[in-house]
Amino acid sequence: MPGEIENSEIVRDPRPVVRKFLARQQQEGLGAIVRRSIGRFELKYFDPFLALDEFSVTAPAGFPDHPHRGFETVTYMLQGAVTHEDFEGHKGTIQAGDLQWMTAGRGIVHSEMPAAQGTQKGLQLWINLSSKNKMIEPRYQEMLSKDIAEVEKDGIKVRVIAGDALGTKSPVYTRTPTMYLDFTLKPGAHLQQPIPVSWNSFVYVLEGEGIFGGGDGGGASKLSSVTAHHLLLLGSGDGLEAWNKSSKPLRFILVGGEPLGEPLAQLGPFVMNTQEEINQTIDDFDNYTNGFEKAKHWRSEAAIALGF
Ligand code: MN
């Protein structure tokens, strides 16, 4: 196509868009607004992904003290800042462009609250852990914006949060093999990004309008034109093909992960394999055992300030 910018990655069998959702706004936490795509009733689980929220939080709203077990939360800030405090005494603030990759493992109790004026925006992805990793010790991987590899080529900018793109690899260690790429395509840019064939993958559009899907652009029925706040589930193939045929920048995330193929038992922020394990988790949380010991005498500073 004339004027189209090509990059050098080869995708021979581009993945089609098999489902498309608009992530509508809903209330979560304490007065926070989220656009949930994965994790809502039509799409309870997209193995290994449990939830994707685009959140919007203005003080005094937020996510005061709450637990997690059995999976990972990946928080990527788009605007403003959020302060995180947990029951181990770990405390930190992530700002626009920063990332926190939290492995809850056997148990975390924490708060996530606005840390700046105005509205804080970001994405939070929940990635399931395999049965052998559900009860591991909690761990954090935090990356400041300046430490996230950013590569630009042929009208395509990518921030490599996990996995690799345009020859650059992220240092983030993912227990469940995962790729997480933040792409911005200039008008006219054409992307081909390989994705391991056995993985599940999706796109979430943050800004602008893009064309996604299989084929060479000739089969209109195979292509999908998409605007912000839409989630696209990709079918089988060896990569993503996307075009920006608009006059404005197109920004989206591409996320892929190796399916675990295990039974799922979930009660809100507890994600295990069986109902028995969920019952055990409720007992552990109620009795401060098996990883929840430190929850007994802990309240976040944020919760205390709110009068909890
Ligand atoms: Mn949380």
Side-chain angles (χ1 to χ4, degrees):
M1 193 164 283
E4 199 164 78
I5 303 165
E6 296 286 343
N7 71 331
S8 58
E9 301 281 3
I10 299 296
V11 172
R12 294 180 197 284
D13 180 22
R15 291 176 176 236
V17 173
V18 293
R19 284 173 87 182
K20 176 174 160 181
F21 295 90
L22 173 63
R24 290 193 184 80
Q25 296 191 338
Q26 63 186 66
Q27 294 275 339
E28 279 293 319
L30 183 73
I33 305 283
V34 307
R35 290 178 181 270
R36 179 162 296 169
S37 44
I38 298 170
R40 59 187 211 186
F41 72 96
E42 307 98 308
L43 183 59
K44 288 303 284 179
Y45 188 42
F46 186 51
D47 191 1
F49 304 109
L50 294 153
L52 178 68
D53 284 348
E54 180 183 2
F55 63 83
S56 190
V57 197
T58 309
F63 305 95
D65 310 6
H66 61 276
H68 295 280
R69 173 183 276 182
F71 63 102
E72 301 186 295
T73 67
V74 179
T75 308
Y76 183 42
M77 291 303 297
L78 300 172
Q79 174 186 309
V82 162
T83 292
H84 161 269
E85 293 177 61
D86 81 5
F87 68 168
E88 301 266 1
H90 183 275
K91 183 175 179 178
T93 298
I94 51 174
Q95 322 241 6
D98 297 347
L99 178 82
Q100 183 198 65
W101 196 292
M102 181 183 90
T103 305
R106 64 208 293 252
I108 283 280
V109 179
H110 72 168
S111 67
E112 297 155 285
M113 301 297 287
Q117 297 297 311
T119 303
Q120 336 303 315
K121 293 185 178 180
L123 296 171
Q124 190 171 84
L125 176 69
W126 290 15
I127 306 174
N128 204 0
L129 288 167
S130 68
S131 54
K132 69 175 192 296
N133 286 324
K134 284 189 178 295
M135 293 299 281
I136 58 177
E137 288 296 313
R139 181 189 173 191
Y140 294 92
Q141 298 175 84
E142 278 167 338
M143 282 173 85
L144 297 176
S145 185
K146 67 177 174 61
D147 299 324
I148 295 176
E150 200 171 290
V151 193
E152 248 182 297
K153 193 182 175 191
D154 299 339
I156 296 165
K157 184 176 84 176
V158 61
R159 308 191 81 226
V160 185
I161 292 164
D164 56 279
L166 301 180
T168 299
K169 196 170 168 54
S170 164
V172 167
Y173 174 64
T174 64
R175 269 177 195 77
T176 303
T178 306
M179 69 191 301
Y180 190 139
L181 306 170
D182 171 7
F183 282 108
T184 304
L185 271 59
K186 287 183 179 165
H190 172 211
L191 170 72
Q192 292 187 298
Q193 169 62 41
I195 303 166
V197 288
S198 62
W199 289 17
N200 281 332
S201 62
F202 66 86
V203 162
Y204 187 79
V205 179
L206 294 170
E207 188 188 328
E209 181 170 3
I211 294 174
F212 300 86
D216 57 5
S221 64
K222 290 196 287 182
L223 297 173
S224 199
S225 176
V226 189
T227 53
H229 315 301
H230 281 88
L231 179 91
L232 306 178
L233 297 189
L234 304 177
S236 57
D238 65 359
L240 173 70
E241 193 158 23
W243 295 260
N244 182 357
K245 295 186 179 179
S246 77
S247 57
K248 292 182 179 151
L250 162 67
R251 186 178 180 194
F252 62 90
I253 59 163
L254 168 63
V255 176
E258 187 170 74
L260 300 172
E262 293 181 358
L264 181 77
Q266 178 171 7
L267 181 74
F270 303 139
V271 182
M272 305 301 286
N273 296 108
T274 66
Q275 186 57 43
E276 271 184 355
E277 290 166 346
I278 290 290
N279 295 343
Q280 180 64 51
T281 300
I282 296 165
D283 281 354
D284 288 342
F285 182 63
D286 285 348
N287 299 314
Y288 312 108
T289 50
N290 289 321
F292 289 115
E293 287 81 357
K294 289 179 180 163
K296 190 167 188 176
H297 299 293
W298 181 81
R299 296 290 175 274
S300 68
E301 289 169 29
I304 292 164
L306 287 166
F308 291 153

